[in-house]
Amino acid sequence: LGSSQVATKGGADLSTHHPNLSASTRRESDAVTNARRRIALLAQTAGKSSADYATALNQLALLLIMQGEPEAAEPLLRDALSIRRQALGESHPEYATKLSRLGGLLGARGSLDEAEPLLRQAAEIRRATLGASHPKSVVSANSLDQLMKARRDPSQSQREPTVPRHA
């Protein structure tokens, strides 16, 4: 069972039956449940191609990553990336942000071959649109550099998945 199912299975709060579920775990589970509800509501009201829907997918993905569920986050990040590509095109800085997040997740999970083109494209977009000295361009260049180092030394790629907050 995923953590959101543990605390809310059948609508009951199982924390009274499972004292090992900390308040923090319950709050995280509630956050995921609320994010899923928001996504369902936005799908009905704003549509699945809206910017708000893409943002909600991204927020749920980040919550899942923080809970140690990167496998569940990946398809959400891919969907958010697709929506942003359709809405903004492939040269927009916000699209670069989505590329960077998905590339960072894939790289952290050891999928270096899949992460590299995403991080490279994010770095190129940011350099072209924001300039090479912009903080987000620097973050993208550093992320790509770290990935390339991990490719040379695969032991560097086996770390906890993280997604840069400012990427």
Side-chain angles (χ1 to χ4, degrees):
L1 292 176
S3 59
S4 63
Q5 294 169 313
V6 171
T8 61
K9 185 177 180 185
D13 182 358
L14 298 182
S15 61
T16 57
H17 303 292
H18 298 282
N20 292 338
L21 285 177
S22 69
S24 173
T25 300
R26 287 190 303 275
R27 279 192 303 275
E28 290 170 1
S29 179
D30 289 346
V32 168
T33 299
N34 290 336
R36 290 186 194 283
R37 286 184 186 138
R38 181 169 183 246
I39 288 169
L41 180 64
L42 285 168
Q44 293 174 353
T45 58
K48 290 185 176 183
S49 61
S50 73
D52 288 340
Y53 184 78
T55 298
L57 290 175
N58 187 68
Q59 290 169 342
L60 175 56
L62 295 176
L63 286 170
L64 292 169
I65 290 167
M66 289 188 306
Q67 288 189 355
E69 299 182 44
E71 298 83 14
E74 184 180 333
L76 300 171
L77 291 176
R78 288 184 185 281
D79 288 348
L81 176 66
S82 177
I83 293 166
R84 289 299 194 196
R85 180 178 45 242
Q86 292 289 326
L88 303 171
E90 293 188 9
S91 60
H92 195 280
E94 182 62 28
Y95 178 67
T97 297
K98 302 303 181 229
L99 284 167
S100 181
R101 287 198 176 134
L102 180 57
L105 175 66
L106 293 170
R109 292 181 59 209
S111 299
L112 306 181
D113 290 339
E114 194 174 359
E116 182 183 351
L118 300 175
L119 293 177
R120 188 172 302 283
Q121 185 179 3
E124 290 169 1
I125 292 168
R126 286 179 168 167
R127 187 173 41 254
T129 59
L130 303 173
S133 61
H134 189 280
K136 289 185 177 185
S137 297
V138 173
V139 167
S140 285
N142 288 339
S143 295
L144 182 58
D145 183 55
Q146 290 296 320
L147 179 91
M148 298 313 291
K149 287 178 183 173
R151 287 182 72 116
R152 289 189 294 275
D153 181 4
S155 67
Q156 291 185 24
S157 68
Q158 302 303 316
R159 62 183 196 274
E160 282 294 311
T162 58
V163 177
R165 297 215 187 273
H166 303 288

